[in-house]
Amino acid sequence: MAKKLDKVEAVTVGVGWAGGIIAAELAKAGVKVVGLERGNDRSTEDFQMVHDEYRYAIRYELMQDLSKETITFRNKPGEKALPMRQFGAFLIGTGVGGAGAHWNGDTWFFSPYDFEIKTMTDKKYGKNKLPKEYTLQDWGITYKELAPYYHQFERMAGTSGELNPLRPERTEKYPTPPMKDTPILKSYMDAANRLGLHPFRQPSANISEVYKNPDGETLNQCQYCGFCEKFGCEYGAKSSPNVTVVPTALKTGNFDLRTHANVTGIIHDGNKATGVRYVDTQTGEEFDQPADIVVLTSYTLNNTRLLLQSELGRPYDPKTGTGVIGKNYCYQITAVATGFFKDRFNAAMGAGALGTTLDDYNNDNFDHSDLDFIHGGSITMKQLGKRPINENGAPSGTPRWGKEFKKESIKWFNRSIPVTSQGASMPHKNNYLSLDPTYKDAYGNPLLRMTYDFTEQDHALYDYITARCADILEEMGAEVVEPKELTDHFDIVPAQNDHITGGVIMGADPETSALNNYLQMWDVDNVFVIGASAFAHNGGYNPTGTVGALAYRAAEGILKYRKNKGQLVKRETSNKLV
Amino acid sequence: MDEDSKKSNMSRRKFIRNSSYAAGGLIGGGIIGSLIGTNYFNDTEQPSTRSSKESNFNRALMFFTRQSDFQILSAATERIYPKDDQGPGAIELGVPYFIDHELAGAYGHNEREYMKGPFLEGTEYQGYQTPLKRHAVFMTGIRALESESKSAYDASFVDLEGEQQDKILKKFENDDVKLHKVSSAYFFEMLRSATISGTYADPLYGGNADMDAWKMKNFPGSQMTYLNKIGSEKFIDIKPKSLNDHIS
């Protein structure tokens, strides 16, 4: 029997970027907020032993405990989905700060094209540019409407960067200047310029100088130690919820952070949520936390699963195309080419978002009339800091073990570097999330089932963008350039990309989207669902900046909802038959 | 002390003197012990594991119960990451002890992985599905290395020439050996990745002795800052540091 707790005004499920931003904004406005986080508490002090590749990058210290909960996976409807038993293709964070503790720090704005992709694609290339199986749709918000929230996120995070020559005007400068330049990044910049492209120093949450944000939190200067991705920062120099919004929320006295609290369901009375149920993962005790407003702020997959499991919203059915929860699941198409150079560079030194990028082949910045795909990807060379367990690359043909392997992998460790792209991913009617009929989590609830495969659009985009990555490495003078091939089908095993989106998408039409543009559920007025789960497709950049902007937008929406109740956005219902 | 023991001790001392990682407490009888039964030394003297003043107490077995199994594992890791003119191989680095210790803990018991049934065979894109935990996969694989060796060469895996050992390992890599409830290719992948992990992980885990694997790769380990170095046009050779340097 679950113990019933005293009612609070708002509860968040998960305390990462989304949960932290909601907690800070609501608590500052005087709202009592409970933050339920299944993982442990952590702060900068917890990262003193973080320079440990094995513990963090190989054994995944900061990631979800898959023995408790994972997903099942299949490539297409009709196949039997099987559990993802170990991490591979993507990682799922856990604990206070969530993915915002272990991220690299790439802090992007999506493009104006992203938010109106359906309208703009139809207008420029006609309605049949993509076959009808692609469930492409606008986001129900424009870049111009979202831009102020992007800036708000940057000011809080202290983002370092320089102006992208191919971007629309920004109304504010980056809060801090770009990170340090390095010889290999300069070589990329020069090569790209010689090719007539438009490279620039990419936006970074590894902060270039000491920065005090508007909430009074101080971020330190990045030390380029090379341990960012999959690690926490021992300096508090990478903006994360742990050093920004979580302490901001706690200082108000209005934020009650409860760790080891794993939410198993949203309690509701018809179309009104009344609270959440959670399990104390250390004692096994169950609690019901009543709340006026329930805010789902966990990872993409968990946001979707919690709604399906709690029977809130209309589940998506790929056969009929009806329903919305689980719809438009997207990934990111990671095009890669590796350059092997004659001379050594200081490959171990680096930072998660220390890089040079170009957008010439991203968004609709290039003409797609003669191409069989839309969109593209940012193309980046990063100096992340190479680490020796994971980095044993050598030109193809080198054996994978033995004398030759040892010799070559050692030789190339400080001589090779990839150019990578965050390739956009378009939604397809057969790529979706639902509940698994067979496999259960540690609490007896069904696992989430992912049905996903690369589309023809993905393959075409990948091949085109990979060739562009290779062009730049050739121009840089690499001795060997090796573009990587995309597997025929999406494979759950090899590490690819952690940028998973969709499942609870926003839009203007309740028939085709789950949320309005304040991330309020169309079907349940007092539930807001924040995260990359709200993306109607995945763009050509890392997603966190957009998650942050949407979280600030949703925080404003929640404060409005407190006063006015009801739906914050007027429905635009399409005429199409359901 | 009998004659054999004296010889062994001499051999051990000579080995330590000649090795590139002769640095105080990090080495000891354990490393030498791991060489027993391998064809690592050309001389016939087998060093003793007993009575060493330079003992590294970490170098003992917490998972394996039979030293013979551990020696097969050791020999296999050495083929994956062999000693060469650049520096030590898996055995000298302590990789077999790393694997032994990992198999005894969370890694070997898949503590943070989904191990609920039913276990069904999927497509090649759905990831490997076996009910066996890693420690069981390793035991199955190691015993199979030995039985393959005996049937092919009528000798123990540890007594084979390196190229013969490679042939057997390749059979596993190519999934040409039938094992119970797990594929030989899956075992090989696990063996390979565990060997590389032990080679390059922080020495706190028992491998990468004296940070020698990092030195070979010019990886500086755990440095607190590169703020004033990262702009350098030239490659900077930095003496590596381990997490041990951060303990106050």
Side-chain angles (χ1 to χ4, degrees), chain A residues 51-52 54 60 63 73 80 83 85-86 223-224 235 344 346 388 391-392 400-402 406 439-440 492, chain B residues 80 82 84 87-88 102 112 114 116 118 126 129 173 186 189 192 205 217 222-226 234 236:
Chain A
H51 287 178
D52 186 341
Y54 187 65
Y60 305 127
M63 307 306 162
F73 161 72
K80 170 80 183 158
R85 297 189 176 277
Q86 305 174 16
Q223 300 298 307
Y224 304 88
Y235 290 101
R344 288 189 296 180
N346 292 300
E391 299 280 356
N392 287 287
R400 295 177 62 246
W401 54 279
K406 180 181 176 185
Y439 292 96
K440 303 268 192 279
I492 199 77
Chain B
I80 290 170
D84 62 7
E102 285 297 297
R112 297 180 74 228
Y114 191 80
K116 286 190 215 298
Q126 288 181 297
Q129 308 278 331
E173 185 183 25
Y186 187 66
E189 280 311 308
R192 177 186 178 272
Y205 293 97
K217 220 170 184 175
S222 172
Q223 304 287 329
M224 291 312 286
T225 180
Y226 295 121
K234 287 205 177 107
I236 307 175

Short mmCIF file of all heavy atoms in Angstrom, two decimals, chain A residues 51-52 54 60 63 73 80 83 85-86 223-224 235 344 346 388 391-392 400-402 406 439-440 492, chain B residues 80 82 84 87-88 102 112 114 116 118 126 129 173 186 189 192 205 217 222-226 234 236:
data_model
loop_
_atom_site.label_atom_id
_atom_site.label_comp_id
_atom_site.label_asym_id
_atom_site.label_seq_id
_atom_site.Cartn_x
_atom_site.Cartn_y
_atom_site.Cartn_z
N HIS A 51 38.61 11.19 -13.67
CA HIS A 51 39.52 10.89 -14.80
C HIS A 51 39.77 9.39 -14.87
O HIS A 51 40.88 8.92 -14.70
CB HIS A 51 40.85 11.63 -14.63
CG HIS A 51 40.75 13.09 -14.87
ND1 HIS A 51 41.81 13.95 -14.74
CD2 HIS A 51 39.71 13.86 -15.26
CE1 HIS A 51 41.43 15.19 -15.03
NE2 HIS A 51 40.15 15.15 -15.33
N ASP A 52 38.71 8.67 -15.09
CA ASP A 52 38.77 7.22 -15.05
C ASP A 52 37.96 6.69 -16.22
O ASP A 52 36.75 6.51 -16.14
CB ASP A 52 38.21 6.72 -13.71
CG ASP A 52 38.36 5.23 -13.51
OD1 ASP A 52 38.56 4.50 -14.51
OD2 ASP A 52 38.26 4.78 -12.35
N TYR A 54 37.82 3.83 -17.63
CA TYR A 54 37.19 2.52 -17.47
C TYR A 54 35.87 2.64 -16.70
O TYR A 54 34.83 2.14 -17.13
CB TYR A 54 38.14 1.55 -16.76
CG TYR A 54 37.57 0.15 -16.72
CD1 TYR A 54 37.38 -0.57 -17.89
CD2 TYR A 54 37.22 -0.45 -15.52
CE1 TYR A 54 36.85 -1.85 -17.88
CE2 TYR A 54 36.68 -1.74 -15.49
CZ TYR A 54 36.50 -2.43 -16.67
OH TYR A 54 35.96 -3.69 -16.65
N TYR A 60 30.24 2.76 -17.69
CA TYR A 60 29.06 3.66 -17.68
C TYR A 60 28.54 4.02 -16.30
O TYR A 60 27.35 3.89 -16.00
CB TYR A 60 27.92 3.03 -18.50
CG TYR A 60 28.30 2.66 -19.91
CD1 TYR A 60 28.08 1.38 -20.40
CD2 TYR A 60 28.89 3.61 -20.76
CE1 TYR A 60 28.43 1.05 -21.70
CE2 TYR A 60 29.24 3.27 -22.06
CZ TYR A 60 29.01 1.99 -22.52
OH TYR A 60 29.35 1.66 -23.80
N MET A 63 25.37 6.19 -16.05
CA MET A 63 24.21 5.84 -16.87
C MET A 63 23.20 4.97 -16.12
O MET A 63 23.48 4.38 -15.09
CB MET A 63 24.68 5.11 -18.14
CG MET A 63 25.75 5.85 -18.93
SD MET A 63 25.29 7.56 -19.36
CE MET A 63 26.92 8.23 -19.75
N PHE A 73 13.96 -3.75 -28.44
CA PHE A 73 14.23 -3.15 -29.73
C PHE A 73 13.96 -4.13 -30.87
O PHE A 73 14.22 -5.33 -30.77
CB PHE A 73 15.70 -2.70 -29.78
CG PHE A 73 16.19 -2.48 -31.18
CD1 PHE A 73 15.74 -1.38 -31.92
CD2 PHE A 73 17.05 -3.39 -31.78
CE1 PHE A 73 16.16 -1.21 -33.23
CE2 PHE A 73 17.46 -3.21 -33.09
CZ PHE A 73 17.02 -2.13 -33.81
N LYS A 80 9.92 -9.63 -33.56
CA LYS A 80 9.85 -9.77 -32.10
C LYS A 80 10.93 -8.86 -31.50
O LYS A 80 12.11 -8.98 -31.83
CB LYS A 80 10.12 -11.23 -31.73
CG LYS A 80 10.32 -11.50 -30.25
CD LYS A 80 9.01 -11.58 -29.52
CE LYS A 80 9.23 -11.78 -28.02
NZ LYS A 80 8.06 -11.34 -27.24
N PRO A 83 15.27 -7.43 -25.60
CA PRO A 83 15.82 -6.40 -24.70
C PRO A 83 17.20 -5.91 -25.13
O PRO A 83 18.02 -6.70 -25.61
CB PRO A 83 15.93 -7.12 -23.35
CG PRO A 83 15.18 -8.39 -23.48
CD PRO A 83 15.10 -8.73 -24.92
N ARG A 85 20.23 -5.47 -23.71
CA ARG A 85 20.73 -6.00 -22.44
C ARG A 85 21.92 -5.21 -21.90
O ARG A 85 22.16 -5.19 -20.70
CB ARG A 85 21.07 -7.49 -22.60
CG ARG A 85 19.82 -8.31 -22.94
CD ARG A 85 20.05 -9.80 -22.89
NE ARG A 85 18.80 -10.52 -23.13
CZ ARG A 85 17.86 -10.77 -22.21
NH1 ARG A 85 18.04 -10.36 -20.97
NH2 ARG A 85 16.75 -11.40 -22.53
N GLN A 86 22.66 -4.61 -22.82
CA GLN A 86 23.79 -3.76 -22.42
C GLN A 86 23.70 -2.48 -23.23
O GLN A 86 23.08 -2.45 -24.27
CB GLN A 86 25.12 -4.44 -22.76
CG GLN A 86 25.28 -5.81 -22.18
CD GLN A 86 26.55 -6.50 -22.67
OE1 GLN A 86 27.45 -5.87 -23.19
NE2 GLN A 86 26.60 -7.80 -22.49
N GLN A 223 39.45 23.55 -18.21
CA GLN A 223 40.89 23.26 -18.13
C GLN A 223 41.36 22.33 -19.26
O GLN A 223 42.49 21.90 -19.28
CB GLN A 223 41.21 22.62 -16.77
CG GLN A 223 40.88 23.51 -15.58
CD GLN A 223 41.69 24.80 -15.57
OE1 GLN A 223 42.91 24.77 -15.65
NE2 GLN A 223 41.00 25.94 -15.51
N TYR A 224 40.45 21.99 -20.18
CA TYR A 224 40.80 21.18 -21.35
C TYR A 224 41.41 19.84 -20.96
O TYR A 224 42.34 19.35 -21.60
CB TYR A 224 41.73 21.97 -22.29
CG TYR A 224 41.13 23.30 -22.71
CD1 TYR A 224 41.30 24.45 -21.94
CD2 TYR A 224 40.34 23.39 -23.86
CE1 TYR A 224 40.71 25.65 -22.31
CE2 TYR A 224 39.76 24.59 -24.24
CZ TYR A 224 39.95 25.72 -23.45
OH TYR A 224 39.37 26.91 -23.82
N TYR A 235 35.73 20.52 -12.11
CA TYR A 235 35.98 21.94 -11.87
C TYR A 235 34.70 22.77 -11.78
O TYR A 235 34.76 23.94 -11.46
CB TYR A 235 36.82 22.53 -13.02
CG TYR A 235 38.24 22.04 -13.02
CD1 TYR A 235 38.64 21.06 -13.90
CD2 TYR A 235 39.16 22.57 -12.12
CE1 TYR A 235 39.94 20.60 -13.90
CE2 TYR A 235 40.46 22.11 -12.11
CZ TYR A 235 40.85 21.13 -12.99
OH TYR A 235 42.14 20.68 -12.98
N ARG A 344 52.07 14.07 -35.31
CA ARG A 344 51.30 13.91 -34.09
C ARG A 344 50.72 15.24 -33.65
O ARG A 344 51.34 16.29 -33.87
CB ARG A 344 52.20 13.38 -32.96
CG ARG A 344 52.59 11.93 -33.13
CD ARG A 344 53.28 11.41 -31.92
NE ARG A 344 54.55 12.07 -31.66
CZ ARG A 344 55.33 11.77 -30.63
NH1 ARG A 344 54.97 10.84 -29.76
NH2 ARG A 344 56.47 12.39 -30.46
N ASN A 346 48.38 16.95 -30.10
CA ASN A 346 48.15 16.66 -28.68
C ASN A 346 46.72 16.14 -28.48
O ASN A 346 45.86 16.83 -27.93
CB ASN A 346 48.42 17.90 -27.85
CG ASN A 346 49.90 18.26 -27.85
OD1 ASN A 346 50.74 17.46 -27.42
ND2 ASN A 346 50.23 19.44 -28.35
N PRO A 388 42.54 6.11 -24.20
CA PRO A 388 43.20 4.95 -24.82
C PRO A 388 42.41 3.65 -24.89
O PRO A 388 42.72 2.82 -25.73
CB PRO A 388 44.45 4.77 -23.96
CG PRO A 388 44.09 5.34 -22.63
CD PRO A 388 43.15 6.47 -22.91
N GLU A 391 39.98 4.37 -27.96
CA GLU A 391 40.58 4.85 -29.21
C GLU A 391 41.72 3.96 -29.63
O GLU A 391 42.85 4.10 -29.17
CB GLU A 391 41.08 6.29 -29.02
CG GLU A 391 39.97 7.27 -28.67
CD GLU A 391 39.18 7.72 -29.89
OE1 GLU A 391 39.52 7.33 -31.02
OE2 GLU A 391 38.21 8.47 -29.68
N ASN A 392 41.43 3.02 -30.50
CA ASN A 392 42.45 2.13 -31.03
C ASN A 392 42.37 2.05 -32.54
O ASN A 392 42.69 1.04 -33.15
CB ASN A 392 42.30 0.74 -30.40
CG ASN A 392 42.75 0.74 -28.96
OD1 ASN A 392 43.93 0.81 -28.66
ND2 ASN A 392 41.79 0.72 -28.03
N ARG A 400 42.63 -6.57 -35.86
CA ARG A 400 41.96 -6.06 -34.67
C ARG A 400 42.65 -6.51 -33.38
O ARG A 400 42.27 -6.12 -32.30
CB ARG A 400 40.50 -6.50 -34.65
CG ARG A 400 39.70 -5.91 -35.79
CD ARG A 400 38.27 -6.41 -35.82
NE ARG A 400 37.57 -6.02 -34.61
CZ ARG A 400 37.14 -6.88 -33.69
NH1 ARG A 400 37.34 -8.17 -33.85
NH2 ARG A 400 36.49 -6.44 -32.63
N TRP A 401 43.65 -7.33 -33.49
CA TRP A 401 44.40 -7.76 -32.31
C TRP A 401 45.74 -8.31 -32.75
O TRP A 401 45.96 -8.56 -33.93
CB TRP A 401 43.61 -8.79 -31.50
CG TRP A 401 43.13 -9.98 -32.26
CD1 TRP A 401 42.01 -10.05 -33.06
CD2 TRP A 401 43.73 -11.29 -32.32
NE1 TRP A 401 41.89 -11.30 -33.61
CE2 TRP A 401 42.91 -12.09 -33.17
CE3 TRP A 401 44.85 -11.86 -31.73
CZ2 TRP A 401 43.20 -13.43 -33.44
CZ3 TRP A 401 45.15 -13.20 -32.01
CH2 TRP A 401 44.32 -13.98 -32.85
N GLY A 402 46.64 -8.48 -31.82
CA GLY A 402 47.95 -9.04 -32.15
C GLY A 402 49.01 -7.96 -32.37
O GLY A 402 48.77 -6.78 -32.14
N LYS A 406 48.68 -3.83 -32.22
CA LYS A 406 49.32 -3.03 -31.17
C LYS A 406 50.16 -1.91 -31.79
O LYS A 406 50.04 -0.74 -31.41
CB LYS A 406 50.19 -3.93 -30.30
CG LYS A 406 50.90 -3.17 -29.18
CD LYS A 406 51.78 -4.08 -28.34
CE LYS A 406 52.56 -3.28 -27.30
NZ LYS A 406 53.51 -4.11 -26.57
N TYR A 439 8.49 -8.21 -22.00
CA TYR A 439 9.55 -7.95 -21.01
C TYR A 439 9.13 -6.87 -20.01
O TYR A 439 8.49 -5.89 -20.37
CB TYR A 439 10.84 -7.55 -21.74
CG TYR A 439 11.42 -8.70 -22.53
CD1 TYR A 439 11.14 -8.84 -23.89
CD2 TYR A 439 12.23 -9.66 -21.91
CE1 TYR A 439 11.66 -9.91 -24.62
CE2 TYR A 439 12.75 -10.72 -22.64
CZ TYR A 439 12.47 -10.84 -23.99
OH TYR A 439 12.98 -11.89 -24.71
N LYS A 440 9.55 -7.08 -18.75
CA LYS A 440 9.15 -6.19 -17.66
C LYS A 440 10.36 -5.57 -16.97
O LYS A 440 11.46 -6.13 -16.99
CB LYS A 440 8.38 -7.00 -16.60
CG LYS A 440 7.15 -7.75 -17.14
CD LYS A 440 5.90 -6.90 -17.00
CE LYS A 440 4.62 -7.69 -17.25
NZ LYS A 440 4.34 -7.86 -18.69
N ILE A 492 21.66 -2.07 -32.69
CA ILE A 492 21.59 -1.60 -31.29
C ILE A 492 22.95 -1.72 -30.57
O ILE A 492 23.12 -1.16 -29.49
CB ILE A 492 20.49 -2.38 -30.52
CG1 ILE A 492 20.04 -1.66 -29.24
CG2 ILE A 492 20.91 -3.81 -30.22
CD1 ILE A 492 19.14 -0.50 -29.43
N ILE B 80 46.71 -11.24 -27.87
CA ILE B 80 45.90 -10.08 -28.30
C ILE B 80 46.72 -8.80 -28.19
O ILE B 80 46.70 -7.94 -29.06
CB ILE B 80 44.59 -10.01 -27.47
CG1 ILE B 80 43.69 -11.16 -27.88
CG2 ILE B 80 43.89 -8.66 -27.67
CD1 ILE B 80 42.47 -11.36 -27.00
N PRO B 82 50.51 -8.32 -27.49
CA PRO B 82 51.80 -8.97 -27.19
C PRO B 82 52.90 -7.99 -26.80
O PRO B 82 52.87 -6.81 -27.18
CB PRO B 82 52.15 -9.66 -28.51
CG PRO B 82 51.43 -8.90 -29.57
CD PRO B 82 50.24 -8.23 -28.94
N ASP B 84 56.35 -6.37 -27.36
CA ASP B 84 57.15 -6.14 -28.57
C ASP B 84 58.24 -5.12 -28.25
O ASP B 84 58.45 -4.79 -27.08
CB ASP B 84 56.25 -5.67 -29.74
CG ASP B 84 55.56 -4.35 -29.47
OD1 ASP B 84 55.87 -3.70 -28.43
OD2 ASP B 84 54.71 -3.93 -30.27
N GLY B 87 57.33 -2.21 -25.96
CA GLY B 87 57.12 -2.38 -24.53
C GLY B 87 56.35 -3.63 -24.18
O GLY B 87 56.11 -4.49 -25.04
N PRO B 88 55.92 -3.71 -22.93
CA PRO B 88 55.33 -4.95 -22.42
C PRO B 88 54.00 -5.31 -23.08
O PRO B 88 53.32 -4.47 -23.65
CB PRO B 88 55.11 -4.65 -20.94
CG PRO B 88 55.12 -3.18 -20.82
CD PRO B 88 56.01 -2.67 -21.90
N GLU B 102 37.86 -8.30 -12.37
CA GLU B 102 36.60 -7.81 -12.93
C GLU B 102 35.55 -8.92 -12.97
O GLU B 102 34.37 -8.68 -12.74
CB GLU B 102 36.83 -7.25 -14.34
CG GLU B 102 37.51 -5.88 -14.34
CD GLU B 102 36.65 -4.83 -13.67
OE1 GLU B 102 35.55 -4.56 -14.17
OE2 GLU B 102 37.08 -4.29 -12.62
N ARG B 112 24.67 -4.50 -13.68
CA ARG B 112 23.90 -3.35 -14.15
C ARG B 112 23.39 -3.56 -15.58
O ARG B 112 23.23 -2.63 -16.34
CB ARG B 112 24.74 -2.07 -14.04
CG ARG B 112 25.10 -1.76 -12.57
CD ARG B 112 25.92 -0.51 -12.44
NE ARG B 112 25.11 0.68 -12.66
CZ ARG B 112 25.48 1.68 -13.48
NH1 ARG B 112 26.60 1.62 -14.12
NH2 ARG B 112 24.71 2.72 -13.61
N TYR B 114 20.54 -5.91 -18.16
CA TYR B 114 19.24 -6.58 -18.12
C TYR B 114 19.43 -8.07 -18.38
O TYR B 114 19.84 -8.49 -19.47
CB TYR B 114 18.32 -5.95 -19.17
CG TYR B 114 16.88 -6.39 -19.05
CD1 TYR B 114 16.04 -5.82 -18.09
CD2 TYR B 114 16.35 -7.37 -19.90
CE1 TYR B 114 14.72 -6.21 -17.98
CE2 TYR B 114 15.03 -7.76 -19.79
CZ TYR B 114 14.22 -7.18 -18.83
OH TYR B 114 12.90 -7.56 -18.72
N LYS B 116 16.97 -10.52 -17.49
CA LYS B 116 15.72 -11.27 -17.34
C LYS B 116 15.39 -11.98 -18.66
O LYS B 116 15.67 -11.46 -19.74
CB LYS B 116 14.56 -10.31 -17.04
CG LYS B 116 14.54 -9.72 -15.64
CD LYS B 116 13.19 -9.00 -15.45
CE LYS B 116 13.27 -7.76 -14.61
NZ LYS B 116 13.68 -7.93 -13.24
N PRO B 118 12.48 -13.95 -21.30
CA PRO B 118 13.06 -15.09 -22.04
C PRO B 118 14.24 -14.67 -22.93
O PRO B 118 14.28 -13.56 -23.44
CB PRO B 118 11.89 -15.56 -22.91
CG PRO B 118 10.97 -14.39 -23.05
CD PRO B 118 11.12 -13.61 -21.80
N GLN B 126 19.92 -6.95 -33.21
CA GLN B 126 19.27 -6.82 -31.90
C GLN B 126 20.19 -7.04 -30.70
O GLN B 126 19.74 -7.05 -29.57
CB GLN B 126 18.07 -7.76 -31.82
CG GLN B 126 16.90 -7.28 -32.69
CD GLN B 126 15.70 -8.19 -32.61
OE1 GLN B 126 15.77 -9.35 -33.00
NE2 GLN B 126 14.60 -7.69 -32.10
N GLN B 129 22.11 -12.07 -27.23
CA GLN B 129 21.17 -12.50 -26.19
C GLN B 129 21.66 -13.82 -25.63
O GLN B 129 21.54 -14.85 -26.28
CB GLN B 129 19.77 -12.68 -26.80
CG GLN B 129 19.24 -11.50 -27.60
CD GLN B 129 18.63 -10.42 -26.73
OE1 GLN B 129 18.11 -10.68 -25.65
NE2 GLN B 129 18.69 -9.17 -27.20
N GLU B 173 37.23 -16.22 -33.02
CA GLU B 173 36.83 -14.91 -33.57
C GLU B 173 35.86 -15.10 -34.74
O GLU B 173 34.89 -14.35 -34.88
CB GLU B 173 38.08 -14.14 -34.03
CG GLU B 173 37.76 -12.73 -34.50
CD GLU B 173 39.00 -12.00 -35.02
OE1 GLU B 173 39.96 -12.66 -35.46
OE2 GLU B 173 39.00 -10.75 -34.98
N TYR B 186 31.31 -14.28 -29.63
CA TYR B 186 30.94 -13.37 -28.54
C TYR B 186 31.98 -13.47 -27.42
O TYR B 186 32.40 -12.44 -26.86
CB TYR B 186 29.55 -13.75 -28.02
CG TYR B 186 29.00 -12.79 -26.99
CD1 TYR B 186 28.68 -11.48 -27.35
CD2 TYR B 186 28.78 -13.19 -25.67
CE1 TYR B 186 28.17 -10.60 -26.42
CE2 TYR B 186 28.27 -12.31 -24.73
CZ TYR B 186 27.96 -11.02 -25.11
OH TYR B 186 27.45 -10.14 -24.19
N GLU B 189 35.07 -11.57 -28.58
CA GLU B 189 34.91 -10.11 -28.50
C GLU B 189 35.08 -9.64 -27.05
O GLU B 189 35.67 -8.60 -26.78
CB GLU B 189 33.52 -9.70 -29.00
CG GLU B 189 33.40 -9.65 -30.50
CD GLU B 189 34.52 -8.86 -31.16
OE1 GLU B 189 34.75 -7.70 -30.77
OE2 GLU B 189 35.19 -9.40 -32.07
N ARG B 192 38.71 -9.89 -26.10
CA ARG B 192 39.46 -8.80 -26.74
C ARG B 192 39.21 -7.47 -26.02
O ARG B 192 40.14 -6.75 -25.67
CB ARG B 192 39.06 -8.68 -28.20
CG ARG B 192 39.75 -7.52 -28.91
CD ARG B 192 39.22 -7.33 -30.35
NE ARG B 192 39.85 -6.18 -30.97
CZ ARG B 192 39.40 -4.94 -30.87
NH1 ARG B 192 38.30 -4.68 -30.19
NH2 ARG B 192 40.04 -3.94 -31.46
N TYR B 205 43.10 -0.55 -11.36
CA TYR B 205 42.33 -1.78 -11.58
C TYR B 205 43.21 -3.01 -11.69
O TYR B 205 42.72 -4.11 -11.88
CB TYR B 205 41.49 -1.65 -12.85
CG TYR B 205 40.39 -0.61 -12.71
CD1 TYR B 205 40.56 0.68 -13.18
CD2 TYR B 205 39.19 -0.94 -12.08
CE1 TYR B 205 39.57 1.64 -13.03
CE2 TYR B 205 38.18 0.00 -11.94
CZ TYR B 205 38.38 1.29 -12.41
OH TYR B 205 37.39 2.22 -12.26
N LYS B 217 51.67 4.59 -25.60
CA LYS B 217 50.72 5.28 -26.47
C LYS B 217 50.86 6.80 -26.37
O LYS B 217 50.09 7.53 -27.00
CB LYS B 217 49.30 4.86 -26.06
CG LYS B 217 48.36 4.63 -27.22
CD LYS B 217 47.06 3.99 -26.75
CE LYS B 217 46.16 3.67 -27.92
NZ LYS B 217 44.96 2.94 -27.52
N SER B 222 45.85 10.94 -16.22
CA SER B 222 44.97 11.88 -15.53
C SER B 222 45.71 13.17 -15.18
O SER B 222 46.33 13.27 -14.14
CB SER B 222 44.46 11.20 -14.26
OG SER B 222 43.75 12.12 -13.48
N GLN B 223 45.65 14.13 -16.08
CA GLN B 223 46.28 15.44 -15.82
C GLN B 223 45.19 16.41 -15.42
O GLN B 223 44.08 16.37 -15.93
CB GLN B 223 46.97 15.96 -17.09
CG GLN B 223 48.01 15.01 -17.66
CD GLN B 223 49.28 14.95 -16.83
OE1 GLN B 223 49.67 15.93 -16.20
NE2 GLN B 223 49.93 13.79 -16.83
N MET B 224 45.50 17.30 -14.51
CA MET B 224 44.48 18.23 -14.04
C MET B 224 44.17 19.32 -15.06
O MET B 224 43.07 19.83 -15.12
CB MET B 224 44.89 18.86 -12.70
CG MET B 224 44.87 17.86 -11.54
SD MET B 224 43.35 16.88 -11.46
CE MET B 224 42.20 18.11 -10.84
N THR B 225 45.17 19.73 -15.82
CA THR B 225 44.89 20.81 -16.77
C THR B 225 45.84 20.78 -17.96
O THR B 225 46.99 20.37 -17.84
CB THR B 225 45.01 22.19 -16.07
OG1 THR B 225 44.73 23.22 -17.03
CG2 THR B 225 46.39 22.42 -15.48
N TYR B 226 45.30 21.17 -19.11
CA TYR B 226 46.12 21.39 -20.30
C TYR B 226 45.94 22.83 -20.79
O TYR B 226 46.22 23.15 -21.94
CB TYR B 226 45.71 20.44 -21.43
CG TYR B 226 45.92 18.97 -21.15
CD1 TYR B 226 44.85 18.08 -21.17
CD2 TYR B 226 47.20 18.46 -20.91
CE1 TYR B 226 45.04 16.72 -20.95
CE2 TYR B 226 47.39 17.10 -20.69
CZ TYR B 226 46.31 16.23 -20.71
OH TYR B 226 46.50 14.89 -20.49
N LYS B 234 53.59 22.11 -31.19
CA LYS B 234 54.40 20.89 -31.13
C LYS B 234 53.74 19.84 -30.25
O LYS B 234 53.02 20.17 -29.31
CB LYS B 234 55.77 21.21 -30.54
CG LYS B 234 56.66 21.97 -31.48
CD LYS B 234 58.14 21.73 -31.12
CE LYS B 234 59.05 22.43 -32.11
NZ LYS B 234 59.70 23.61 -31.53
N ILE B 236 53.59 17.54 -27.25
CA ILE B 236 54.25 17.61 -25.95
C ILE B 236 54.22 16.24 -25.29
O ILE B 236 53.14 15.66 -25.11
CB ILE B 236 53.55 18.64 -25.03
CG1 ILE B 236 53.42 19.99 -25.73
CG2 ILE B 236 54.32 18.79 -23.72
CD1 ILE B 236 52.62 21.02 -24.93
#
